[in-house]
């Protein structure tokens, strides 16, 4: 196995990032997951026939009971796991394209996953260091911006353990943002936080998503969070993990906290909850089938 | 402001064991005096103190010799041990093929192979050092290897996502993750280096200018200079304690900002 180096020059002409006005032409797909099965070494069928296309500028939530394969699917989307069958395309190309200009990918884990031995600033600059970005003024500016956007200005020299859980998560998001990713994959990033912090971070992420023109795939097990954030909620069922529903949330952005208390919100939540219940029931049916 | 000293945690930590030590010495001294136990059976603390002073030149020489072997062995054990760990984590195959030999070295009693080494290696200092290395190296290898493997899998995923080289992965991720384990290994290994040096000296029985503390103990035993024997023993123990304290201090300094083992918990 040879490590693929990111080439500064693309042999094929690079169509570049999609800068077309949203709504004028159908947006390009950023991620295409087709017919993906994932069977782990111990025989667990984590995904069965997963098909999902995520288009430029979408905010897609993956929602489902725990153990239904959300993390597995997200890791495959990040190129972190081998698929057993099927294939995944990034910007309509192979994984090799990921990392080049306009096709950057970042991952936010459920835990902040910071390096405990490094100060916040060093943690945030890690992706740039790994890309050998050096220490230019431009790079320092990017780090300052990322820290500013998540509200961690002035915490450069703190160690992760000196921060609250919410602040650690912010540092983790700053680290993902610092490379200016085009596709952001988030695995239950706020699952461990209290509701106030969670709502605040939800609004922050929505704002950044709009400002930066990101495409986001967001894993959650909270119906409310999924409805509040997403333009699309993809519902999954367990055993085997599969996609069972795909619900568009047509509320326009920017969404304010008022949306949380609106009747539309309640309606969407009911719709998604019912889909989730059906999904869970499917899992249970299978359990019953297995019994003699 | 002026809280009573008994409330001061540091004072209690040092004071309490010190008090116990002084009490034991006092009881010892009084018992020996009361029952008029002869010096060559059980010397009193005062006798031992006198010997420490009067035999200081020969004891000090012996201490230097033992320290030399201990530090040399410790340094070699650390360097070779770390190098071996770095090699082990490069591939499962290397580890599988070589690790059993590290275990073999660990389980073979050094007294059993010391005579061989002393025959094979002409220079006494080196012969003793090799024996001490064999005793001290295992905790370094096993702890450091464990540490280099104990990397947060998510962080590792992240590094892989940025297509990081193995070298970067090692320098930025594996080595920092391994530090707490490595320092744990140092604590154990430093004590073992001293024990290895003393045991090897016993086996070698080297006298003359090369005599270490173990030889002092042997010699004093033959001559029934029991106070001197105790004095040499005390020097060995003190060396061990100082070494351990030094390792704890180093590890605290290196880890104090981030690792649980070195954190000051504030209530
Ligand atoms: N590395 C692994 N090896 C074996 N089984 C795994 C592994 N990771 C996840 N699984 C299994 O795959 C299924 C889906 O897991 P996961 O994707 O983590 O679900 P979710 O994120 O929806 O909770 C679960 O049954 C889980 O036990
Ligand atoms: Mg998960």
């Amino acid at each position: 196995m040879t490590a693929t180096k990111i080439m500064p020059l693309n042999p094929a002409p690079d169509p570049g990032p999609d800068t077309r006005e949203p709504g004028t032409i159908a947006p390009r797909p950023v991620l295409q997951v087709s017919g993906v099965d994932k069977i782990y070494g111990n025989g667990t069928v984590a995904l069965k026939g997963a098909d999902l296309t995520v288009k430029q500028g979408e905010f897609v939530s993956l929602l489902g009971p725990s153990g239904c394969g959300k993390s597995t699917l997200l890791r495959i989307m990040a190129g972190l796991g081998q698929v057993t069958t099927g294939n995944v395309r990034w910007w309509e190309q192979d994984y090799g394209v990921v990392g080049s200009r306009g096709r950057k990918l970042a991952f936010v884990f459920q835990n902040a996953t910071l390096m405990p031995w490094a100060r916040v600033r060093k943690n945030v600059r890690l992706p740039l260091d790994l890309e050998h970005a050096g220490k230019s003024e431009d790079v320092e500016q990017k780090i300052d911006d990322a820290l500013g956007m998540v509200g961690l200005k002035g915490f450069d020299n703190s160690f992760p353990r000196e921060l609250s859980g919410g602040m650690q998560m912010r540092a983790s998001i700053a680290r993902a943002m610092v490379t200016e990713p085009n596709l952001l994959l988030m695995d239950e990033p706020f699952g461990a936080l209290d509701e106030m912090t969670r709502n605040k971070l939800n609004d922050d992420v929505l704002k950044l998503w709009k400002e930066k023109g990101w495409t986001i795939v967001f894993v959650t097990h909270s119906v409310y969070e999924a409805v509040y954030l997403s333009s699309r909620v993809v519902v999954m069922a367990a055993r085997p993990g599969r996609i069972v529903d795909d619900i568009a949330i047509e509320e326009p952005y920017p969404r304010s906290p008022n949306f949380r208390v609106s009747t539309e919100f309640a309606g969407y939540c009911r719709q998604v909850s019912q889909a989730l219940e059906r999904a869970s029931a499917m899992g249970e049916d299978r359990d019953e089938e297995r019994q003699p | 402001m002026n809280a009573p000293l008994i409330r001061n945690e540091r004072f209690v930590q040092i004071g309490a064991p010190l008090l116990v030590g002084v009490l034991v010495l006092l009881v010892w001294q009084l018992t020996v005096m009361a029952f008029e136990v002869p010096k060559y059976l059980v010397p009193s603390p005062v006798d031992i103190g006198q010997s420490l002073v009067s035999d200081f030149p020969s004891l000090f020489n012996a201490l230097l010799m033992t320290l030399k072997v201990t530090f040399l062995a410790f340094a070699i054990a650390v360097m070779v041990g770390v190098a071996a760990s770095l090699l082990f984590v490069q591939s499962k195959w290397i580890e599988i093929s070589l690790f059993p030999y590290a275990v073999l070295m660990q389980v073979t009693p050094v007294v059993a192979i010391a005579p061989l080494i002393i025959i094979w290696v002409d220079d006494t200092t080196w012969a003793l050092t090799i024996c001490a290395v064999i005793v001290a190296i295992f905790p370094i290898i096993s702890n450091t290897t464990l540490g280099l493997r104990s990397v947060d899998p998510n962080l590792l995923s992240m590094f892989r996502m940025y297509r990081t080289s193995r070298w970067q992965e090692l320098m930025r991720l594996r080595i920092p993750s391994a530090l707490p384990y490595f320092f744990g290994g140092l604590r154990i290994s430093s004590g073992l280096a001293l024990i290895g040096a003393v045991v090897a000296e016993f086996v070698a029985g080297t006298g003359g200018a090369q005599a270490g503390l173990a030889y002092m103990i042997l010699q004093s035993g033959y001559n029934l200079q029991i106070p001197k024997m105790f004095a040499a023993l005390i020097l060995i123990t003190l060396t061990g304690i100082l070494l351990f304290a030094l390792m704890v201090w180093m590890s605290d300094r290196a880890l104090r900002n981030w690792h649980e083992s070195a954190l000051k918990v504030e209530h």
Side-chain angles (χ1 to χ4, degrees):
Chain A
M1 274 234 298
T2 50
T4 6
K5 265 262 169 246
I6 303 157
M7 289 293 160
L9 289 173
N10 251 354
D14 181 357
D18 196 342
T19 52
R20 294 166 305 176
E21 275 297 306
T24 49
I25 318 167
R28 288 188 188 138
V30 169
L31 256 177
Q32 292 158 291
V33 175
S34 10
V36 164
D37 291 357
K38 171 75 185 182
I39 303 170
Y40 281 108
N42 61 4
T44 307
V45 184
L47 286 175
K48 182 96 191 122
D51 281 303
L52 182 64
T53 300
V54 178
K55 297 218 175 82
Q56 167 74 39
E58 276 193 302
F59 196 127
V60 176
S61 284
L62 300 181
L63 182 71
S66 68
C68 72
K70 305 183 293 292
S71 298
T72 303
L73 182 54
L74 202 70
R75 290 178 63 84
I76 285 172
M77 287 173 165
L80 288 174
Q82 299 276 318
V83 300
T84 309
T85 46
N87 79 82
V88 187
R89 308 271 287 167
W90 290 264
W91 290 278
E92 299 173 281
Q93 298 182 59
D94 289 334
Y95 189 65
V97 78
V98 171
S100 59
R101 193 174 63 89
R103 299 191 184 99
K104 287 197 175 169
L105 192 155
F107 200 103
V108 177
F109 297 92
Q110 177 159 11
N111 305 318
T113 313
L114 301 171
M115 303 179 289
W117 56 84
R119 295 171 196 275
V120 167
R121 192 176 184 87
K122 196 163 175 219
N123 264 296
V124 170
R125 75 178 311 140
L126 176 72
L128 297 175
D129 285 345
L130 295 182
E131 288 178 349
H132 305 285
K135 282 210 167 186
S136 67
E137 238 170 68
D138 189 36
V139 166
E140 301 308 319
Q141 188 59 48
K142 274 186 193 171
I143 300 167
D144 285 338
D145 289 350
L147 283 168
M149 274 186 272
V150 298
L152 279 182
K153 225 177 216 118
F155 288 93
D156 301 62
N157 288 324
S158 302
F159 282 93
R161 64 162 186 98
E162 296 166 340
L163 305 180
S164 69
M167 286 158 90
Q168 289 182 12
M169 214 53 234
R170 284 167 194 274
S172 185
I173 293 171
R175 178 180 62 191
M177 282 171 36
V178 81
T179 53
E180 296 167 1
N182 308 86
L183 173 60
L184 186 56
L185 304 172
M186 305 175 95
D187 192 355
E188 298 191 34
F190 312 136
L193 304 180
D194 64 276
E195 204 166 331
M196 294 276 287
T197 314
R198 187 180 189 150
N199 289 349
K200 170 81 176 72
L201 285 174
N202 278 345
D203 286 327
D204 292 348
V205 165
L206 268 188
K207 188 162 147 264
L208 286 168
W209 167 68
K210 262 290 163 217
E211 266 173 35
K212 302 279 165 183
W214 288 340
T215 305
I216 296 186
V217 181
F218 188 98
V219 169
T220 178
H221 55 233
S222 158
V223 171
Y224 308 108
E225 193 172 47
V227 169
Y228 185 69
L229 292 173
S230 325
S231 50
R232 250 170 87 200
V233 177
V234 171
V235 180
M236 295 178 69
R239 279 162 283 154
R242 61 207 185 281
I243 294 170
V244 292
D245 227 325
D246 194 331
I247 299 164
I249 310 292
E250 269 146 12
E251 175 78 10
Y253 294 94
R255 291 177 187 172
S256 70
N258 283 337
F259 177 45
R260 283 188 205 282
V261 290
S262 66
T263 43
E264 288 85 356
F265 185 74
Y268 281 123
C269 287
R270 191 175 318 116
Q271 190 185 345
V272 171
S273 295
Q274 281 163 357
L276 195 56
E277 264 160 40
R278 280 197 301 275
S280 308
M282 282 183 213
E284 278 160 25
D285 283 351
R286 283 175 183 264
D287 279 350
E288 279 158 24
E289 273 168 30
R290 253 188 245 135
Q291 274 152 27
Chain B
M1 265 310 288
N2 270 323
L5 271 177
I6 194 78
R7 288 280 185 78
N8 184 324
E9 203 178 319
R10 247 194 122 72
F11 176 78
V12 173
Q13 262 174 11
I14 298 170
L18 209 65
L19 188 69
V20 172
V22 169
L23 277 178
V24 168
L25 287 181
L26 207 67
V27 171
W28 179 352
Q29 180 76 36
L30 291 176
T31 316
V32 170
M33 274 160 62
F35 293 94
E36 291 174 5
V37 184
K39 235 192 238 190
Y40 58 82
L41 275 184
V42 182
S44 72
V46 171
D47 295 332
I48 297 169
Q50 272 167 357
S51 163
L52 261 178
V53 175
S54 59
D55 296 322
F56 187 74
S58 64
L59 280 174
F60 186 68
N61 253 337
L63 174 66
L64 284 186
M65 181 61 199
T66 302
L67 280 182
K68 185 166 113 186
V69 172
T70 303
F71 277 108
L72 210 56
F74 185 42
I76 294 173
V78 170
M79 285 187 295
V80 176
V82 168
S85 304
L86 289 174
L87 194 69
F88 285 178
V89 295
Q90 291 316 303
S91 107
K92 217 51 208 170
W93 285 107
I94 300 179
E95 189 179 357
I96 289 170
S97 335
L98 295 183
F99 199 76
Y101 294 98
V103 176
L104 199 76
M105 221 154 63
Q106 159 78 0
V107 297
T108 311
V110 75
V111 270
I113 44 170
L116 256 185
I117 291 170
I118 289 160
I119 291 170
W120 285 343
V121 181
D122 264 345
D123 184 86
T124 316
T125 306
W126 280 112
L128 300 182
T129 304
I130 291 171
C131 294
V133 168
I134 292 174
V135 179
I137 200 168
F138 190 73
I140 302 274
I141 296 183
S142 65
N143 271 34
T144 312
T145 306
L146 180 67
L148 289 169
R149 292 203 187 286
S150 300
V151 174
D152 180 337
N154 284 341
L155 268 176
L156 197 60
S157 291
M158 218 186 90
F159 271 63
R160 298 263 154 94
M161 243 172 66
Y162 289 99
R163 301 185 171 106
T164 320
S165 65
R166 287 181 80 102
W167 174 251
Q168 288 248 18
E169 193 180 291
L170 184 70
M171 297 307 287
R172 289 182 182 276
L173 191 56
R174 291 196 185 271
I175 288 179
S177 303
L179 280 183
Y181 297 81
F182 169 71
F183 280 113
L186 280 193
R187 287 184 196 193
I188 304 170
S189 170
S190 61
L192 286 180
L194 178 64
I195 292 175
V198 170
V199 169
E201 273 178 33
F202 264 112
V203 176
T206 327
Q210 301 248 22
L213 286 173
Y215 183 72
M216 283 291 137
I217 290 178
L218 279 178
Q219 198 62 34
S220 321
Y222 296 144
N223 299 341
L224 284 187
Q225 292 173 300
I226 308 304
K228 190 176 178 185
M229 198 171 163
F230 269 88
L233 189 62
I234 284 175
L235 287 181
I236 293 175
T237 310
L238 277 181
T239 307
I241 293 173
L242 285 178
L243 260 176
F244 185 80
L246 184 69
M247 295 307 121
V248 170
W249 179 79
M250 267 171 52
S251 134
D252 273 1
R253 277 203 70 88
L255 307 178
R256 65 176 161 190
N257 283 323
W258 63 276
H259 198 256
E260 294 82 355
S261 66
L263 291 186
K264 296 264 176 294
V265 181
E266 284 174 36
H267 297 286

